[in-house]
Amino acid sequence: MKALILALGLSLSATALTAGTAYAAGASDTDQERAERWNDLKKELFAGKTIEPSETMVKIDAPKRAEDAALVPITLTMPEKDKVKSVSLVIDDNPTPYAAHFTFGPAADPGEIKLRVRINNYTNVHAVTETTDGKFYESVGFVKASGGCSAPMGMSDEEAMKGMGEMRMKFSEQAPGKPAEATLMIRHPNFSGMQMNQVSRDYTPARFIEKLEVTYGDKLIFHMDGDISISSNPVIGFGFKPEGKGPIKVAASDNQGGKWQHTFQAPSPSN
């Protein structure tokens, strides 16, 4: 969490969220309690920023009740995408609420981001966009889930780490005049630090993808700062402008110093 806060240039006091700040959370919380918790988080994570509600700047599509709390699909849609500089995903009641921050580059089509996350409790989920003129907007969703951050992976740590850093990318069929769409898949356990090894009965140390950068030729599509709330074997869907030249390059690094790179051949632009 501290690394993510530093990377975003946000308030360092947000590290208190992992240093014992108590946020009572559960299915019985009232709307007022959830609102107060979000106000506290905003002060920590976006210190000094005014954040206005707006579903025309960002919308959240999430299941009302998760089928698997360790693999919850989230889609962030930015209808006024040309105004968007970055988007943040905050899962209010997770142990480290700041799940991910995406900064878009000149090759991005920032209309939509898809990812899978862990959700540890019945919680509000917030998306916050920063626009190119320095304003901030938020939207909120509610997800019923429990135990996603501590859920075991169903295999040994050694098995979970096999092939770590391997990547695949799928491209959707591109319609003429429309942005190109891609899905990036990375093999990485993204250990949360809360999962118990089923053999040793010790907790597996946190190891998660901390930074991810995707470029098209010499232009940035997006940079992501992540934390333990992103699910194991991350899957991220994104859009990009198809007029670029050169391959799509992905560079990933985790909080324990692991680094991986992969290059994918982008589909030819459609007329």
Side-chain angles (χ1 to χ4, degrees):
M1 178 84 170
K2 182 177 181 180
L4 179 54
I5 296 298
L6 289 170
L8 300 177
L10 298 173
S11 168
L12 290 178
S13 61
T15 57
L17 297 173
T18 57
T21 300
Y23 286 95
S28 62
D29 286 0
T30 65
D31 289 344
Q32 181 178 348
E33 288 172 325
R34 296 187 190 281
E36 290 173 352
R37 188 173 304 121
W38 174 234
N39 285 333
D40 289 342
L41 282 170
K42 283 195 291 187
K43 291 175 184 177
E44 297 284 355
L45 298 173
F46 303 94
K49 308 298 184 184
T50 299
I51 306 178
E52 301 177 14
S54 173
E55 289 205 352
T56 64
M57 291 306 303
V58 59
K59 298 180 180 180
I60 301 173
D61 182 12
K64 293 182 178 179
R65 183 182 293 274
E67 293 185 9
D68 185 340
L71 292 167
V72 182
I74 300 283
T75 300
L76 306 179
T77 305
M78 283 68 73
E80 299 184 52
K81 59 185 181 181
D82 293 338
K83 298 179 180 179
V84 175
K85 177 181 177 181
S86 69
V87 63
S88 300
L89 177 64
V90 181
I91 304 172
D92 294 16
D93 297 320
N94 269 14
T96 55
Y98 215 125
H101 177 83
F102 293 87
T103 301
F104 300 106
D109 184 278
E112 186 176 87
I113 285 284
K114 296 182 178 181
L115 70 163
R116 302 185 307 186
V117 300
R118 299 179 170 114
I119 292 184
N120 212 51
N121 212 326
Y122 284 40
T123 184
N124 279 340
V125 176
H126 283 87
V128 177
T129 55
E130 179 184 4
T131 58
T132 53
D133 59 359
K135 295 181 180 179
F136 289 78
Y137 299 90
E138 68 176 77
S139 66
V140 61
F142 182 74
V143 178
K144 296 178 180 179
S146 181
C149 293
S150 59
M153 294 186 65
M155 62 184 74
S156 69
D157 294 351
E158 292 74 20
E159 289 175 312
M161 295 175 69
K162 283 182 180 178
M164 190 163 57
E166 293 177 358
M167 302 183 197
R168 291 189 296 150
M169 187 174 291
K170 296 192 304 183
F171 298 95
S172 300
E173 184 175 347
Q174 184 187 336
K178 299 292 184 180
E181 296 180 357
T183 301
L184 171 64
M185 293 155 279
I186 306 175
R187 185 162 180 80
H188 196 289
N190 259 28
F191 292 130
S192 68
M194 299 174 60
Q195 296 152 307
M196 181 178 288
N197 184 299
Q198 299 301 295
V199 177
S200 69
R201 309 305 291 174
D202 293 326
Y203 286 98
T204 302
R207 183 165 189 177
F208 55 89
I209 291 180
E210 192 172 44
K211 295 185 182 297
L212 180 65
E213 187 162 286
V214 182
T215 56
Y216 188 11
D218 60 354
K219 294 182 179 180
L220 177 69
I221 299 177
F222 70 83
H223 176 93
M224 185 198 81
D225 294 289
D227 213 293
I228 68 167
S229 292
I230 296 178
S231 297
S232 61
N233 300 320
V235 176
I236 298 172
F238 62 93
F240 64 96
K241 296 175 182 177
E243 67 266 21
K245 295 182 179 180
I248 291 181
K249 297 180 182 179
V250 181
S253 60
D254 69 18
N255 66 316
Q256 291 195 21
K259 296 181 184 295
W260 304 272
Q261 294 187 18
H262 201 92
T263 298
F264 301 92
Q265 189 61 45
S268 300
S270 300
N271 294 325

